[in-house]
Amino acid sequence: MASKSSLPEDDFNCPVCFDIFKDPVLLLCSHSFCKDCLQKFWREKKSKECPVCRRQSSMDNPPLNLSLRNVCESFLKEKSQRASGGSEVLCSLHGERLKLFCLEDKQPVCLVCQASRKHSGHQFLPIDEAALDYKEQLNAVLESLQEKLEEFEEVKETCDQTASHVKVQAHQSEKQIKEEFEKLHQFLKEEEEARIRALKEEEEQKSLIMKEKTEELSKEMSTLSDTITAIEKQMVAEDIIFLQNFKSTIESSTCTLQKPQQVSGALIDVAKHLGNLRFRVWDKNQSANTPVVLDPNTANSSLIVSEDLTSLKRTDPRQTLPDNPERFDLNAYYCVLGSEGFNSGSHYWDVEVGHSPGWCVGVTTESNQRKGDTFSWKRVWRVGYKFEEYDECKTFNELRWHVTGPVHILKQNLHTLRVHLDLDKGQLSFSDPLQNTHLHTFKHTFTEKVLPFFRSAFSSLSILPLKPSVTIEQRRLC
């Protein structure tokens, strides 16, 4: 008995498409055709006749010729093994070597496929040329994903630093709270415990936020890493394997992840826990307070904010602090903001500038960014003392601060500056309380919340406490 491979190849060709049978069906006239070829022939002829003998068929869906299908599959498998020793990838339709790549269908084809109706009018490239072109395209996608992974790594590193700094802030704040409360009477113990509890809750909340953010970043980084690994694996695969998988690879490599963002407001709100701590128990202790406290989370890393958050001084070298969105960077110079903003009412605060050779004090809008490229002096209303004669400021190109935006430059320095912000009248006034001298008034209608603004390039600045007074009203007895 002859083997399957001894039969001529024409015996396995469909009379319609002249290709190896694919899902062959059998008519009653004993002729077989590819299922799709027969249905297409019937649609075009509008008659259910045999394409060979023209005999009419009474069946809408002829049965599959299972024996012929099995023989064709065996024939193709046998032909493939004979042609390449079982290692070369061949055309699944014709058993020929895949030498070309169809640019329209994005798949490798053989020479018989090229001449078939299915690829009529299509453009082709040799396998090696197509592989080179598409590897370049996929390499661009790979580079983009690698850059995005680097961005995630940078943000994750900042998040890790922030999480560590939250722990430090919580520890330092707890220590300061305890030191303050030790100076009070025993009846303040309940207040101390309540504040420690609030701090712990915020620490847990902020730590949880950073933990969730870090886990989210790790998950997204893992996704990117898996995609990159899959692409890199395809990049080193054989050209034919690479091109066979190219379509699915390029689809799966599409990255929908958004650019990683830093977490705003992730640091401990130190000002809330420590700001005017003594004044908040003044109802029981009658202590002095400062009307404004500094927000250390906004302080430039070259500034040190005091433990009671009422003074600042420059430090060299600069501190290692998280580059959180609220903080002024080095390009924004030596700046810090008050912890609470104002959008209505009348507010006073006194600042001891102490004859510093370089300073400015005022207010800025809450939306004014704190980074060098986005920070705008045009949105800072301030009074300052010029210091052109200092070589250091020239070296750091810091003369620009007093000639840009709403600013009034004092010709003579002073010891104490009083700031009066009246948002209802749209006025910001500055005076010397020691000399009882008016210095300057800005008239401006603020449409958003403003924050106290402080800058000291050389020495320290301090916010002075208010002096509480008690008025005793005497009444005559009837």
Side-chain angles (χ1 to χ4, degrees):
M1 181 177 179
S3 64
K4 295 176 183 177
S5 60
S6 64
L7 297 176
E9 184 171 342
D10 291 344
D11 291 344
F12 302 103
N13 288 347
C14 171
V16 176
C17 65
F18 302 107
D19 285 337
I20 303 298
F21 283 109
K22 187 175 182 180
D23 296 328
V25 294
L26 180 65
L27 297 179
L28 294 177
C29 61
S30 76
H31 292 124
S32 295
F33 308 92
C34 296
K35 181 179 180 181
D36 291 341
C37 293
L38 180 61
Q39 295 296 332
K40 182 178 179 182
F41 180 82
W42 283 356
R43 286 195 301 270
E44 292 176 351
K45 287 290 186 179
K46 298 181 180 178
S47 174
K48 295 183 177 60
E49 63 181 28
C50 174
V52 176
C53 66
R54 304 302 179 181
R55 179 179 176 180
Q56 291 291 327
S57 174
S58 60
M59 296 182 294
D60 293 335
N61 296 300
L64 288 174
N65 191 338
L66 298 178
S67 298
L68 180 57
R69 185 181 68 177
N70 294 336
V71 170
C72 290
E73 290 178 354
S74 299
F75 173 78
L76 289 175
K77 182 177 180 181
E78 208 171 286
K79 183 178 180 180
S80 173
Q81 291 175 347
R82 289 198 308 270
S84 60
S87 60
E88 186 174 10
V89 180
L90 301 179
C91 177
S92 60
L93 294 176
H94 310 108
E96 300 290 341
R97 289 183 60 193
L98 299 172
K99 296 182 177 181
L100 300 174
F101 184 77
C102 178
L103 299 180
E104 279 73 13
D105 295 332
K106 299 292 188 295
Q107 63 180 15
V109 297
C110 68
L111 295 178
V112 180
C113 290
Q114 181 189 20
S116 67
R117 294 190 187 96
K118 180 180 178 182
H119 295 278
S120 177
H122 291 187
Q123 293 183 338
F124 302 87
L125 281 178
I127 286 293
D128 55 347
E129 293 183 15
L132 181 61
D133 290 346
Y134 285 104
K135 281 185 178 181
E136 291 178 356
Q137 179 181 341
L138 195 59
N139 187 60
V141 175
L142 178 62
E143 291 177 355
S144 176
L145 293 174
Q146 290 172 335
E147 290 176 0
K148 182 164 287 190
L149 178 60
E150 290 178 359
E151 293 175 351
F152 274 88
E153 289 173 345
E154 291 176 0
V155 175
K156 183 177 182 297
E157 182 180 356
T158 301
C159 288
D160 291 338
Q161 293 176 353
T162 302
S164 299
H165 194 64
V166 165
K167 297 290 186 181
V168 173
Q169 285 184 307
H171 177 75
Q172 293 176 343
S173 299
E174 180 177 347
K175 178 182 179 182
Q176 290 172 235
I177 289 174
K178 289 183 177 180
E179 289 176 352
E180 289 293 332
F181 274 91
E182 286 175 359
K183 300 175 183 178
L184 303 176
H185 297 291
Q186 184 62 37
F187 72 91
L188 297 177
K189 283 294 182 180
E190 294 182 1
E191 180 73 7
E192 177 186 8
E193 293 172 357
R195 291 187 178 277
I196 295 296
R197 207 163 41 244
L199 176 64
K200 289 293 187 181
E201 289 176 357
E202 183 171 2
E203 178 192 1
E204 293 175 0
Q205 179 185 4
K206 296 296 176 64
S207 298
L208 179 60
I209 291 174
M210 297 314 303
K211 179 181 178 182
E212 292 175 349
K213 179 64 176 179
T214 301
E215 291 175 352
E216 178 185 354
L217 288 170
S218 297
K219 182 178 179 181
E220 293 174 340
M221 288 171 62
S222 177
T223 300
L224 282 173
S225 296
D226 292 342
T227 302
I228 290 171
T229 300
I231 293 176
E232 289 175 340
K233 183 178 179 181
Q234 290 298 318
M235 294 293 289
V236 299
E238 294 183 6
D239 290 350
I240 188 62
I241 301 299
F242 167 79
L243 291 173
Q244 282 184 318
N245 299 330
F246 173 77
K247 188 174 181 180
S248 60
T249 301
I250 198 68
E251 290 176 355
S252 63
S253 66
T254 302
C255 181
T256 59
L257 298 176
Q258 300 297 319
K259 182 176 181 179
Q261 301 292 327
Q262 296 185 11
V263 179
S264 179
L267 298 177
I268 294 291
D269 191 349
V270 179
K272 180 182 72 175
H273 296 287
L274 300 180
N276 289 330
L277 184 60
R278 295 183 182 183
F279 176 74
R280 293 184 181 183
V281 295
W282 180 75
D283 289 340
K284 302 176 182 179
N285 197 48
Q286 292 187 1
S287 296
N289 79 292
T290 56
V292 170
V293 294
L294 303 175
D295 184 355
N297 294 342
T298 67
N300 180 281
S301 59
S302 294
L303 294 178
I304 294 180
V305 177
S306 63
E307 291 185 351
D308 61 1
L309 310 179
T310 61
S311 64
L312 62 96
K313 64 179 180 179
R314 180 176 168 180
T315 179
D316 191 15
R318 65 187 182 93
Q319 307 168 87
T320 301
L321 299 173
D323 187 22
N324 51 297
E326 301 88 349
R327 191 180 306 282
F328 286 99
D329 63 11
L330 289 178
N331 294 326
Y333 309 122
Y334 312 102
C335 304
V336 65
L337 298 178
S339 64
E340 296 184 13
F342 311 109
N343 50 26
S344 63
S346 179
H347 310 273
Y348 291 87
W349 60 93
D350 291 347
V351 182
E352 183 181 294
V353 296
H355 301 293
S356 170
W359 56 269
C360 64
V361 174
V363 299
T364 187
T365 55
E366 185 178 38
S367 62
N368 194 4
Q369 299 299 307
R370 297 29 172 336
K371 307 304 178 185
D373 295 336
T374 56
F375 176 73
S376 174
W377 285 108
K378 294 181 179 179
R379 301 174 68 183
V380 184
W381 290 258
R382 62 203 185 280
V383 161
Y385 178 68
K386 61 182 180 179
F387 47 99
E388 293 128 316
E389 65 273 18
Y390 286 88
D391 290 334
E392 182 177 3
C393 74
K394 292 181 181 179
T395 300
F396 288 96
N397 194 24
E398 293 176 353
L399 292 178
R400 294 176 299 168
W401 74 270
H402 64 74
V403 294
T404 305
V407 60
H408 177 74
I409 307 302
L410 300 177
K411 296 181 178 179
Q412 292 182 343
N413 207 348
L414 68 162
H415 182 271
T416 303
L417 176 72
R418 172 163 294 173
V419 184
H420 178 204
L421 174 63
D422 193 328
L423 291 166
D424 298 332
K425 293 182 179 180
Q427 293 183 350
L428 176 64
S429 299
F430 299 88
S431 60
D432 182 346
L434 301 182
Q435 302 296 327
N436 195 24
T437 303
H438 174 263
L439 300 174
H440 187 74
T441 296
F442 293 105
K443 293 184 177 181
H444 181 80
T445 301
F446 295 95
T447 57
E448 62 175 295
K449 182 181 290 186
V450 294
L451 296 164
F453 177 89
F454 308 88
R455 177 180 181 270
S456 179
F458 297 101
S459 57
S460 61
L461 296 181
S462 299
I463 304 171
L464 300 177
L466 294 176
K467 297 180 179 179
S469 60
V470 178
T471 300
I472 301 176
E473 182 179 330
Q474 295 182 343
R475 296 183 179 181
R476 293 183 178 181
L477 296 177
C478 296

